[in-house]
């Protein structure tokens, strides 16, 4: 990759068929990269072995292709990259930043400070204060999760669409988990390691992940990885205000592909994105010269049934 070249990414979680919301963020991520002459990589975020299946991975790729969204290089599967996450974990451990946490879910909730903006409890650091004797006794009982100490870190990120966001991590998110007690590495660690290792320079994704971004930038700094540019696109909401999810079967690609052609679906989304003044069927390729961050809405969009 040439210096200064843009590299974007698709990072779907293959736990079901893609829905309209996934398609929306995929289209915008692809346009943001291609409109700058950039490349695109595909990473299947399949660390949750209970929910992810190879058939869903295959389906995601077929659906992206059907829409006219392509990528460069071979697809990357997170489930095959444990060694990379382990190395990063060791790097952080060597810096003295990690500690084992034996709290059960119930204890975590009881021991939590006020909630984060995404509703998750802020861990109060209980396990960080345990004596060596307590830790030794707990270690005989069960395997720990591992957390990273955030202390007073203050992280500000300029988002292409949402403006500047700033978090003081101890107050706004708390020490967070990097490895679960069953040994699975957490999304936050995997995504940072992968974006760094894959040379991603531009992260375009749904604004539900805006709140995770300061944690990811914190990890990038601790691991000495470059910080990509971030653009968090608005979410698509159902008419009752809920965000579209995989359980909204009628907004799932299997259903949509029976009712629309790919250019019709892309045209509907492009119109809502402000890229075309009136609805018309269009291919992603035709939208490349029309893409601009300044046209996109920043607020979530209500989508009545297509
Ligand atoms: N795999 C995540 C999802 O499908 C996206 C992660 C990311 O873009 O950082 O919601």
């Amino acid at each position: 990759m040439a210096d200064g070249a843009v590299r974007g990414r698709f990072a779907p979680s293959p736990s079901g068929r893609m829905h309209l919301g996934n398609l929306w963020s995929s289209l915008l991520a692809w346009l943001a990269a291609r409109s700058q002459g950039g490349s695109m990589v595909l990473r299947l975020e399949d660390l949750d072995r209970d929910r992810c299946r190879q058939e869903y991975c295959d389906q995601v790729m077929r659906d992206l292709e059907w829409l006219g969204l392509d990528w460069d290089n071979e697809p990357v599967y997170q489930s095959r990259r444990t060694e990379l996450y382990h190395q990063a974990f060791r790097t952080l451990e060597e810096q003295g930043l990690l500690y084992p946490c034996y709290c059960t879910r119930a204890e975590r909730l009881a021991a939590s400070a006020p909630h984060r903006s995404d509703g998750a409890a802020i861990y109060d650091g209980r396990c960080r204060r345990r004596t060596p004797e307590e830790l030794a006794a707990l270690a005989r009982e069960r395997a720990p999760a591992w957390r990273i100490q955030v202390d007073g870190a203050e992280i500000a990120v300029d988002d292409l669409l949402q403006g500047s966001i700033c978090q003081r991590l101890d107050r706004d998110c708390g020490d967070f988990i990097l490895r679960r007690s069953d040994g699975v590495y957490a999304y936050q660690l995997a995504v940072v390691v992968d974006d760094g290792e894959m040379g991603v320079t531009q992260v375009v994704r749904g604004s539900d992940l805006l709140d995770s971004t300061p944690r990811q930038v914190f990890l990038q700094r601790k691991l000495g990885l470059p910080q990509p540019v971030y653009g968090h696109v608005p979410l698509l909401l159902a008419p009752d205000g809920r965000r579209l999810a995989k359980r909204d079967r009628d907004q799932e690609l299997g259903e949509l592909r029976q009712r629309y052609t790919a250019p019709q679906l892309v045209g509907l989304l492009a119109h809502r994105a402000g890229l075309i003044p009136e609805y018309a069927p269009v291919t992603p390729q035709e939208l490349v010269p029309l893409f601009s961050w300044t046209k996109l809405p920043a607020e979530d969009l209500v989508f009545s049934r297509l």
Side-chain angles (χ1 to χ4, degrees):
M1 188 177 56
D3 270 353
V6 169
R7 174 166 287 194
R9 40 78 143 187
F10 300 117
S13 298
S15 58
R17 195 86 188 249
M18 290 208 293
H19 58 73
L20 194 67
N22 304 132
L23 163 53
W24 163 256
S25 39
S26 302
L27 173 66
L28 295 175
W30 185 90
L31 286 172
R34 296 297 192 211
S35 65
Q36 295 173 88
S39 57
M40 233 9 227
V41 289
L42 170 64
R43 176 170 78 236
L44 295 144
E45 302 211 322
D46 60 347
L47 284 181
D48 187 343
R49 302 309 290 154
D50 295 335
R51 295 175 60 217
C52 298
R53 300 210 205 122
Q54 184 59 44
E55 66 194 79
Y56 295 144
C57 294
D58 297 340
Q59 191 66 62
V60 164
M61 292 188 266
R62 285 201 297 268
D63 284 339
L64 290 172
E65 280 163 359
W66 177 79
L67 284 156
L69 302 179
D70 61 349
W71 57 92
D72 307 285
N73 304 73
E74 286 300 303
V76 163
Y77 291 81
Q78 284 192 324
S79 59
R80 300 178 194 168
R81 292 162 70 84
T82 311
E83 190 47 41
L84 283 176
Y85 310 141
H86 188 61
Q87 281 168 21
F89 184 86
R90 289 290 308 275
T91 304
L92 298 167
E93 195 174 33
E94 281 160 15
Q95 293 176 52
L97 292 169
L98 306 187
Y99 65 93
C101 175
Y102 292 92
C103 292
T104 60
R105 194 178 136 74
E107 283 165 340
R108 283 206 304 274
L109 290 176
S112 69
H115 285 215
R116 294 201 310 240
S117 58
D118 65 359
I122 297 174
Y123 183 63
D124 75 346
R126 172 183 290 201
C127 279
R128 203 169 150 179
R129 296 187 297 272
R130 291 197 197 273
T131 63
E133 294 74 32
E134 272 183 296
L135 288 172
L138 283 162
R140 282 193 291 275
E141 270 172 40
R142 54 182 186 265
W146 287 82
R147 290 184 186 268
I148 186 161
Q149 292 172 204
V150 296
D151 296 316
E154 202 167 276
I155 309 279
V157 185
D158 278 325
D159 187 89
L160 289 169
L161 208 53
Q162 310 295 332
S164 171
I165 53 156
C166 184
Q167 280 184 6
R168 218 186 80 189
L169 293 189
D170 55 352
R171 199 184 52 209
D172 297 328
C173 97
D175 294 346
F176 55 99
I177 292 182
L178 293 191
R179 197 170 81 186
R180 300 189 333 206
S181 58
D182 61 2
V184 174
Y185 287 101
Y187 157 73
Q188 304 293 357
L189 180 69
V191 83
V192 165
V193 170
D194 285 338
D195 283 340
E197 197 274 335
M198 296 168 80
V200 168
T201 66
Q202 175 175 275
V203 172
V204 177
R205 58 187 178 188
S207 63
D208 51 330
L209 288 166
L210 187 62
D211 184 75
S212 288
T213 306
R215 267 171 281 172
Q216 294 175 10
V217 170
F218 173 75
L219 288 177
Q220 282 153 11
R221 292 183 188 169
K222 296 294 180 197
L223 290 167
L225 294 170
Q227 181 180 327
V229 170
Y230 288 94
H232 286 85
V233 300
L235 300 180
L236 299 189
L237 307 178
D240 61 4
R242 275 181 313 108
R243 57 185 265 237
L244 292 186
K246 293 198 165 113
R247 63 178 179 277
D248 293 296
R249 308 288 305 203
D250 57 337
Q251 306 285 17
E252 176 188 82
L253 271 235
E255 276 286 316
L256 295 172
R257 280 180 66 164
Q258 293 183 16
R259 300 208 300 272
Y260 298 96
T261 64
Q264 285 172 335
L265 213 43
V266 171
L268 285 164
L269 294 174
H271 177 50
R272 291 304 299 267
L275 302 179
I276 48 176
E278 272 164 44
Y279 164 74
V282 65
T283 63
Q285 201 60 50
E286 289 167 322
L287 290 171
V288 169
L290 303 176
F291 179 83
S292 155
W293 283 102
T294 57
K295 294 179 183 166
L296 299 189
E299 300 288 313
D300 291 345
L301 298 172
V302 174
F303 239 87
S304 49
R305 193 173 183 283
L306 271 185

